[in-house]
Amino acid sequence: MNAFELYNPTKLVFGADKVSRLGELVEPYGKRVLLVYGGGSIKKSGLYDDVISQLNEIKAIVHELSGIEPNPRLTTVNKGIEICRAEKIEFVLAVGGGSVLDAAKAIAAGALYDGDVWDFTIRQAVIQEALPIGTVLTLAATGSEMNGNAVISNWETKEKRGLGSKHVYPQFSILDPKLTYSVPRNQTVNGIVDIMSHVFEQYFSLTTDIPLQERFAESILLTVIENGEKALEDGTDYDARANLLLAGTYALNGTLPNGVTTDWATHGIEHEVSAIYDIAHGAGLAIIFPNWMKYVYKERVGKFARYAERVWGIDPAGKSEDELAIAGIEATRAYFTRIGAPATLGELDIDGQHLDRMADEATRFGPIGTFKQLNKDDVVNILTASL
Amino acid sequence: MNAFELYNPTKLVFGADKVSRLGELVEPYGKRVLLVYGGGSIKKSGLYDDVISQLNEIKAIVHELSGIEPNPRLTTVNKGIEICRAEKIEFVLAVGGGSVLDAAKAIAAGALYDGDVWDFTIRQAVIQEALPIGTVLTLAATGSEMNGNAVISNWETKEKRGLGSKHVYPQFSILDPKLTYSVPRNQTVNGIVDIMSHVFEQYFSLTTDIPLQERFAESILLTVIENGEKALEDGTDYDARANLLLAGTYALNGTLPNGVTTDWATHGIEHEVSAIYDIAHGAGLAIIFPNWMKYVYKERVGKFARYAERVWGIDPAGKSEDELAIAGIEATRAYFTRIGAPATLGELDIDGQHLDRMADEATRFGPIGTFKQLNKDDVVNILTASL
C-alpha cells in the first residue's frame, strides 16, 4: 500500500424527499444564490418549482444560469462567473447531473479568481478559494456530488480538461433516489458505465497488498451491475435507484484510491473523443474501456483473472489465467451491450479521421496511465480497435 | 435502504513516517497545545521525543496530560479540562490508541462547556463546540481517529458512557503503520476483535436491500481476519499492519451505517462489564459477541448464513440455513480463540455476582439493540452464557 491522504468534508443528505431540507441547508451561506441547472427536465419534473419555493422561503435573492451542456462548456462557465461577480453571489447551487455540478464547481472557483478559469485546467494556476457550493443530484453517474473535481470543455479549441481542489467540494449534496426515477433509459445506461469506469480506473492497478481497496471496488461493481439492470427494468424501483446512486458516490469519493496507484488513461482518451464529437461520456467509455482492457491486461494478468472471477462469477476451472482474464473482459463488453451501450465508435458515426489528433492531445503532457504507460501510438492503437 | 446523513471532515494522513508532518499540521491551530497520551510506551518508542521536537520547531507552548487509562476516566478527563481552561489551550493533540483519542475528545468538548463534561454522556447537554483536535494513532482498534465519538468511564459510579458530536471529529489523524509495530500481542488481538465487533454491530441488521453496505462490511471483516493473523505472526509486516489500520478506520468512519439500522447492543453490554471490572474492551467483546450471535440469530437466519458463507467461506452444501448460521458463529468463536482472545468471563476472573446490576445498567434507557430488542432478562441470559 502507498502512502495517501484522505479528506472529504461534503455532507451527504440521502433519502426519499430529502430535497425538502434544501432551504435550511442553503441558509447559513448567505442570501445571494446562483442557481445552476441544465435543460428543462427539472422544470418538467417539478423540482425547479420546489427549489425556487424553498429559496423564496429563506428570502434568497436567486440568479439563474440554465442550459448547462452535457459536456459543460467554458463559455457557459464564464457566463456563470460573470453573474457571480456582477451580483455578488455568495452561494452556488447546482441542481442536476454531473455536468451541472462540474460547471458549478468551475464557476465557484472562477468567481474568486482574477484570471481565466481555464488556467486551472492547464496547470497555469491553482485554485486558492471558491464560493461555497451545494448540490441536488438528479442522476447517478459522475460522483461529482462528493469530490473536488470537475471537467469542462473548451469548444473553440476542442479541449476537455479537468480541474480539482479541496475548495470545490460541495458543502452538501442532496441525493434523493426518487429524483432519478425520471432519468431516461440511455442516461441511466451512461451512468452505469460511468460509475463502473470510475471503479476500473482505480481497481486495475499495479499496487499490491491492498485487499480492502480491491474488495471495496468489487463491492461497488457488483452493486452497480445488479442494481443497474434492476433500475433499467423498472425506473421507479426505489432500492435499485438508491443503490445505484450510493454506488456512484462511493466510486469517486476518495474511498477507492487510498494507497493505490490509479490509472485514468481511458478517461484521458475518452475526453479527447468527446471534446471533438460531443458524445456522452458514458457512451465513449463503454466503447473504449474493453479495448483498453484487452490492450493492457498482460501487464498483470492475475488482476484481470481475479476481476473475472469475483465480479463476473466466471468459473476458473479448466481455464488458464489468460483465458480467465479475457473471459472477464468479454463479460464486461457483453454487459455493456446487454444494457444498450454502444460497442464501437462507428455506431456513433465517428470514423478514424481525427485519431491522430486525439492521441496527440491525450498524451500532450506525456504518456498516460500507470497499469501500462501509454504513448501516442498506444492511444492510436486503442482508438483504432474502438472504431 | 433508510435515509441517512454522511459527514466526515477528518483529514487522514496515512503512511510510513508520516508523523514527520505533525508540526505543519498543528501549526494553523495556534501555539498553545495540550499533549494527551497514555503510559510510557510512546516514550520508550521514541515517538514522544519526535512529537515534542516537532512541536518545539513550530514554537508551540506544550502542556501535557499523561497517564490516560485503557478505559479513560472522567477524573483524568477533568484534569485535562482544567489545564485547557487554565492555560488557554488552543489545540488538543492526542498521541496513542483509542482511549487517548477518546479522552482528548471529551477534554476538547468539556473545555468549552460551562458545566460537567459527564452531562454529554447522560444526555443532559449537547456539545455545541469543542477545541480542535489532532491525533497520532498508535494502535489499530477503535476507529476513534476518524469519527466524532468517545467513550469515558466514571469510576466512582462504575458507569461507562459515550458522547458524540460533529465538533469532536479530529481535524487530522496521522496513521503510520510502523508506529503499530511495537503494539504487544494481546493489544493487537484486542484491536482485531474490536474492529470486527464494530463491523458486526452494523452488519447484523434487519435492514434489507443494502448490497453495497453489506459487501463493504464483508470486505472489512475479510481484510481484518487475514491481516490480523499476519500481523500476529510478524508484528513488523508493514502491509499487514497497514491493512489492519485502514480496516479499523473504515469499520467506524461512517461508511457502514449509511442507510442501515445498526444494533450496538453488544457494545452496550460490554461497557457495563468493563465499567465494573476494567477489562480490555476487545477482550469483553470477544467473549460476549458469539453469545449475542447465538441468542439473536433466529431473528434473521439468512443474514447469519450469508455471513458464514461470505466471511468464513463455509460451504453451504448439505447444510440447512440454520446449520450454516451456527457454523458461522462457531467460526467466529474459533477465530477469536485461535488468535488468543478469551472465550469466557471466567477466564478474566469475573463471576456472576454483578450480572443483575450490569443488565440493569445496560437497559437503563430501555431495551437495547435492533436486530433483536433486548430487555434486562435478555441481557442477563447473554451474560450468563458468557460466564
Side-chain angles (χ1 to χ4, degrees):
Chain A
M1 197 192 306
N2 308 333
F4 67 90
E5 279 188 28
L6 170 62
Y7 171 72
N8 193 329
T10 298
K11 179 179 187 168
L12 217 62
V13 180
F14 192 108
D17 306 317
K18 285 296 172 188
V19 75
S20 63
R21 294 198 42 210
L22 181 64
E24 156 213 343
L25 288 163
V26 172
E27 200 164 19
Y29 297 97
K31 293 282 177 227
R32 307 187 68 85
V33 174
L34 176 65
L35 172 61
V36 182
Y37 58 100
S41 70
I42 69 165
K43 289 200 172 166
K44 239 187 300 178
S45 70
L47 177 58
Y48 173 87
D49 289 339
D50 190 4
V51 167
I52 290 292
S53 116
Q54 288 195 60
L55 292 175
N56 285 343
E57 237 168 77
I58 60 165
K59 299 191 188 353
I61 299 151
V62 182
H63 293 267
E64 295 191 18
L65 177 69
S66 64
I68 305 296
E69 304 83 3
N71 288 310
R73 299 187 184 181
L74 177 61
T75 46
T76 313
V77 166
N78 278 330
K79 269 188 220 163
I81 292 171
E82 275 166 42
I83 300 174
C84 286
R85 288 175 182 162
E87 305 296 344
K88 299 187 169 43
I89 294 295
E90 296 168 293
F91 189 77
V92 181
L93 177 62
V95 180
S99 303
V100 173
L101 273 52
D102 281 10
K105 288 175 181 178
I107 291 166
L112 300 186
Y113 173 61
D114 193 20
D116 185 350
V117 68
W118 190 249
D119 292 353
F120 298 135
T121 71
I122 53 171
R123 309 179 192 186
Q124 294 300 304
V126 170
I127 297 171
Q128 303 288 353
E129 53 180 340
L131 291 172
I133 302 159
T135 88
V136 178
L137 189 66
T138 60
L139 177 67
T142 70
S144 191
E145 63 275 13
M146 200 180 181
N147 65 43
N149 300 314
V151 176
I152 55 174
S153 294
N154 185 333
W155 198 241
E156 281 95 60
T157 62
K158 300 273 191 252
E159 290 171 292
K160 182 174 175 179
R161 308 221 165 273
L163 57 83
S165 164
K166 67 175 182 176
H167 299 292
V168 296
Y169 276 89
Q171 301 290 313
F172 65 79
S173 283
I174 299 175
L175 275 63
D176 175 355
K178 287 165 76 179
L179 292 181
T180 68
Y181 282 179
S182 57
V183 172
R185 186 180 175 90
N186 70 321
Q187 283 188 37
T188 300
V189 169
N190 288 337
I192 291 167
V193 176
D194 198 19
I195 297 168
M196 290 176 67
S197 299
H198 292 155
V199 179
F200 294 154
E201 299 283 18
Q202 304 168 89
Y203 178 70
F204 293 112
S205 166
L206 297 180
T207 310
T208 54
D209 273 313
I210 45 164
L212 188 63
Q213 298 90 325
E214 286 179 319
R215 288 198 177 99
F216 277 175
E218 289 154 1
S219 299
I220 296 173
L221 288 172
L222 286 161
T223 301
V224 173
I225 289 165
E226 196 180 294
N227 289 275
E229 291 205 274
K230 283 189 195 168
L232 288 170
E233 270 164 40
D234 174 5
T236 63
D237 178 336
Y238 181 84
D239 282 307
R241 289 292 194 182
N243 289 323
L244 206 51
L245 204 49
L246 187 62
T249 300
Y250 268 91
L252 208 52
N253 74 350
T255 301
L256 299 185
N258 292 322
V260 178
T261 304
T262 55
D263 194 87
W264 295 103
T266 308
H267 269 70
I269 299 171
E270 197 289 322
H271 283 181
E272 299 313 327
V273 179
S274 56
I276 294 183
Y277 294 101
D278 203 21
I279 61 172
H281 183 49
L285 290 167
I287 295 163
I288 300 168
F289 237 118
N291 292 305
W292 174 86
M293 290 178 174
K294 277 200 186 148
Y295 196 78
V296 308
Y297 81 96
K298 281 187 194 286
E299 301 295 316
R300 195 170 157 212
V301 183
K303 186 76 184 221
F304 277 88
R306 173 188 169 126
Y307 166 69
E309 232 185 303
R310 299 218 181 180
V311 175
W312 297 108
I314 297 170
D315 186 354
K319 288 190 190 66
S320 70
E321 208 176 38
D322 206 89
E323 287 167 340
L324 193 52
I326 288 291
I329 298 170
E330 299 297 350
T332 313
R333 165 67 76 213
Y335 178 79
F336 287 168
T337 300
R338 192 159 72 245
I339 62 174
T344 66
L345 291 169
E347 291 175 47
L348 305 181
D349 294 325
I350 296 173
D351 61 21
Q353 69 166 312
H354 293 306
L355 292 199
D356 200 70
R357 174 177 166 191
M358 292 189 281
D360 256 335
E361 282 296 321
T363 55
R364 74 186 283 193
F365 294 121
I368 55 172
T370 64
F371 194 82
K372 178 182 171 73
Q373 281 215 334
L374 305 178
N375 58 32
K376 185 188 161 182
D377 287 346
D378 295 316
V379 175
V380 169
N381 291 339
I382 291 169
L383 284 171
T384 303
S386 305
L387 286 174
Chain B
M1 195 190 308
N2 307 334
F4 68 91
E5 279 189 29
L6 171 63
Y7 171 72
N8 193 328
T10 298
K11 179 180 188 167
L12 218 62
V13 180
F14 192 108
D17 306 317
K18 285 296 172 188
V19 75
S20 64
R21 294 199 41 209
L22 181 64
E24 155 215 342
L25 287 164
V26 172
E27 201 164 18
Y29 297 97
K31 294 281 177 228
R32 308 187 66 86
V33 174
L34 177 65
L35 173 61
V36 182
Y37 58 100
S41 71
I42 69 164
K43 290 199 170 165
K44 240 186 297 177
S45 70
L47 177 58
Y48 173 86
D49 289 340
D50 189 5
V51 166
I52 291 292
S53 115
Q54 288 194 60
L55 293 174
N56 286 341
E57 238 169 76
I58 60 165
K59 300 192 186 354
I61 299 152
V62 182
H63 293 268
E64 295 191 17
L65 177 70
S66 64
I68 305 295
E69 304 83 2
N71 287 312
R73 299 188 184 180
L74 178 61
T75 47
T76 313
V77 166
N78 278 329
K79 270 188 218 163
I81 291 171
E82 276 166 40
I83 299 174
C84 287
R85 289 174 182 164
E87 306 296 345
K88 299 188 171 39
I89 293 296
E90 295 168 293
F91 189 76
V92 180
L93 177 61
V95 179
S99 303
V100 173
L101 273 52
D102 281 9
K105 289 175 180 176
I107 291 167
L112 300 186
Y113 173 61
D114 193 21
D116 185 349
V117 68
W118 191 250
D119 292 351
F120 297 135
T121 72
I122 52 170
R123 309 178 191 187
Q124 293 301 304
V126 171
I127 296 172
Q128 303 288 352
E129 52 178 342
L131 291 172
I133 301 159
T135 89
V136 178
L137 188 67
T138 60
L139 178 65
T142 69
S144 190
E145 63 275 13
M146 202 178 181
N147 65 43
N149 300 314
V151 176
I152 56 174
S153 293
N154 185 335
W155 199 241
E156 282 94 60
T157 61
K158 301 272 192 252
E159 290 171 293
K160 183 174 176 180
R161 308 223 166 271
L163 57 83
S165 163
K166 67 174 183 176
H167 299 291
V168 297
Y169 277 90
Q171 301 291 312
F172 64 81
S173 283
I174 299 176
L175 275 63
D176 175 355
K178 287 166 75 179
L179 292 179
T180 68
Y181 282 178
S182 58
V183 172
R185 187 180 174 88
N186 70 321
Q187 283 188 35
T188 300
V189 169
N190 287 337
I192 291 166
V193 176
D194 198 19
I195 297 168
M196 291 176 66
S197 299
H198 292 155
V199 180
F200 293 155
E201 300 282 20
Q202 303 168 88
Y203 178 70
F204 293 112
S205 167
L206 297 181
T207 311
T208 54
D209 272 313
I210 45 165
L212 188 63
Q213 298 91 325
E214 287 180 319
R215 288 197 177 100
F216 277 176
E218 290 155 0
S219 298
I220 295 173
L221 289 172
L222 287 160
T223 301
V224 173
I225 290 165
E226 195 181 295
N227 289 275
E229 291 206 274
K230 283 188 192 169
L232 288 170
E233 269 163 39
D234 175 6
T236 63
D237 178 336
Y238 181 83
D239 281 307
R241 289 292 195 183
N243 288 324
L244 207 51
L245 204 49
L246 187 63
T249 300
Y250 268 91
L252 208 52
N253 74 349
T255 300
L256 299 185
N258 293 322
V260 178
T261 303
T262 57
D263 193 87
W264 295 103
T266 308
H267 269 70
I269 299 171
E270 196 290 322
H271 283 180
E272 299 312 329
V273 179
S274 57
I276 294 182
Y277 294 101
D278 204 19
I279 61 173
H281 183 48
L285 291 168
I287 295 164
I288 300 167
F289 237 119
N291 292 306
W292 174 85
M293 290 178 175
K294 277 201 186 147
Y295 197 78
V296 307
Y297 81 95
K298 281 187 194 287
E299 301 296 316
R300 195 170 156 211
V301 182
K303 186 78 185 220
F304 277 87
R306 174 189 168 126
Y307 166 69
E309 230 184 304
R310 300 218 180 180
V311 175
W312 297 108
I314 297 170
D315 186 355
K319 288 187 189 68
S320 70
E321 208 175 38
D322 205 89
E323 287 167 339
L324 193 52
I326 288 290
I329 297 170
E330 298 297 350
T332 313
R333 164 67 77 215
Y335 179 80
F336 287 168
T337 300
R338 191 159 75 243
I339 61 174
T344 65
L345 291 170
E347 291 175 47
L348 305 181
D349 294 324
I350 297 172
D351 60 20
Q353 71 168 310
H354 294 305
L355 292 200
D356 200 68
R357 175 176 165 189
M358 293 190 282
D360 256 336
E361 283 295 320
T363 55
R364 76 185 280 193
F365 294 120
I368 54 173
T370 64
F371 194 83
K372 178 181 171 75
Q373 281 216 334
L374 306 178
N375 58 31
K376 186 189 161 181
D377 289 345
D378 296 316
V379 175
V380 169
N381 291 339
I382 291 169
L383 283 170
T384 303
S386 306
L387 286 173

